[in-house]
């Protein structure tokens, strides 16, 4: 199947399909209010050329990659705190005078078209484009796909797990590493969603009677419920760096 590469600057009508595709690939609560989620559409408005789309011959969206330009000196210590911080800086303050890198925040593939190399194609295209305007390449706060099965394991430990053949245990992290990425560290609070306990109870379909840590379907870590009647989901991500092509 021949696919066409485009972006939201050329095809803004794809925006609803991009939103729907991201939603289909994430637990529902991941779209709730956070500092970054509040600004997600601001990313579309300010950086439409960085919102890449693969469409089929009928114009249907098959895969999308969302990102924006950032300043980064190349050291792990200078990385932002995670996706929330990246979006707050980029949307509230606009593009940097000189972009050092591109930060990719999401790569989504239609479930009917997975395992066909579309995510790899988008990552490669982002790296290729970075060569012209972001010499330090691409940084990504990766959300490991298999981590929800192991919510009690610290992400730094999980990211170090290996298969018997020596490859990375997590499929999505493994994809990045096998494309030549290097791990830079952990963003412990990349995205933070704080909501009243009642909203979490409605989502879960069961009561959360008191403070403590509760498993959350699709969550990388447990939900933390506090005495103040709020529950906080603080998602860790694994920073990786791809050099420009």
């Amino acid at each position: 199947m021949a696919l066409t590469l485009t972006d939201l600057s050329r095809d803004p009508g794809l925006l609803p399909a991009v939103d729907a595709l991201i939603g289909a690939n994430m637990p529902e609560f991941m779209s709730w209010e956070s500092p970054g989620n509040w600004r997600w559409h601001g990313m579309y408005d300010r950086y439409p050329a960085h919102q890449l789309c693969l469409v089929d011959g009928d114009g249907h969206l098959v895969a999308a990659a969302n990102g924006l330009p950032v300043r980064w000196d190349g050291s792990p210590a200078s990385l932002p705190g995670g996706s929330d911080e990246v979006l707050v800086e980029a949307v509230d303050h606009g593009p940097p005078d000189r972009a050092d890198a591109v930060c990719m925040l999401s790569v989504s593939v239609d479930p009917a078209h997975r395992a066909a190399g579309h995510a790899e194609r988008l990552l490669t295209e982002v790296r290729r484009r970075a060569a012209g305007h972001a010499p330090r390449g691409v940084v990504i706060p990766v959300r490991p796909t298999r981590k929800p099965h192991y919510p009690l394991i610290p992400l730094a430990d999980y990211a170090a797990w290996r298969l018997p053949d020596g490859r990375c245990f997590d499929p999505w992290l493994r994809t990045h590493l096998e494309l030549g990425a290097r791990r830079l560290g952990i963003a412990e609070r990349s995205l933070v969603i704080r909501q009243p306990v009642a909203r979490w109870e409605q989502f879960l379909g069961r009561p959360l009677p008191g403070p403590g840590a509760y498993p959350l379907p699709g969550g990388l870590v447990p939900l933390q419920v506090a005495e103040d009647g709020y529950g906080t989901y603080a998602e860790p991500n694994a920073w990786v760096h791809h050099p420009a092509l």
Side-chain angles (χ1 to χ4, degrees):
M1 177 178 58
L3 299 179
T4 300
L5 179 68
T6 185
D7 58 59
L8 291 186
S9 70
R10 290 182 284 174
D11 290 290
L14 288 171
L15 192 156
V18 172
D19 268 349
L21 181 60
I22 294 170
N25 280 272
M26 289 287 186
E28 176 193 333
F29 68 84
M30 288 289 290
S31 66
W32 294 359
E33 298 85 350
S34 81
N37 286 346
W38 275 115
R39 294 163 172 84
W40 192 264
H41 274 234
M43 175 177 64
Y44 295 162
D45 295 339
R46 282 186 175 266
Y47 309 97
H50 286 274
Q51 317 312 313
L52 305 187
C53 303
L54 281 176
V55 297
D56 64 18
D58 296 321
H60 297 139
L61 184 68
V62 170
N66 308 102
L68 41 79
V70 295
R71 293 295 304 273
W72 179 51
D73 69 10
S75 68
S78 70
L79 285 166
S83 62
D84 276 343
E85 185 178 332
V86 168
L87 282 159
V88 169
E89 175 64 26
V91 174
D92 289 4
H93 302 291
D97 294 335
R98 175 180 54 82
D100 301 303
V102 173
C103 182
M104 297 305 301
L105 297 175
S106 173
V107 180
S108 306
V109 179
D110 187 295
H113 296 276
R114 289 180 182 161
H118 301 323
E120 291 87 342
R121 177 178 174 183
L122 287 170
L123 286 168
T124 299
E125 177 63 17
V126 174
R127 295 172 65 193
R128 186 191 67 79
R129 292 188 179 196
H133 64 86
R136 295 194 189 278
V138 182
V139 290
I140 307 174
V142 174
R143 186 178 205 268
T145 52
R146 201 173 286 173
K147 180 65 170 67
H149 297 302
Y150 308 95
L152 302 182
I153 304 299
L155 182 52
D157 295 341
Y158 172 85
W161 286 358
R162 292 292 179 266
L163 296 170
D165 63 7
R167 295 184 301 155
C168 182
F169 174 81
D170 186 83
W172 189 218
L173 272 175
R174 184 166 65 243
T175 293
H176 288 282
L177 297 175
E178 292 182 353
L179 286 173
R182 64 186 177 104
R183 288 174 47 202
L184 296 177
I186 304 298
E188 295 289 354
R189 296 173 66 86
S190 184
L191 174 145
V192 178
I193 296 170
R194 183 175 184 269
Q195 292 292 313
V197 168
R199 188 176 188 186
W200 291 110
E201 290 177 329
Q202 183 178 23
F203 168 71
L204 291 169
R206 63 177 183 271
L208 303 174
Y214 292 86
L216 191 59
L220 305 194
V221 294
L223 171 70
Q224 300 291 333
V225 172
E227 293 276 6
D228 64 1
Y230 279 80
T232 300
Y233 174 73
E235 174 163 299
N237 291 157
W239 280 111
V240 302
H241 169 240
H242 290 267
L245 292 176

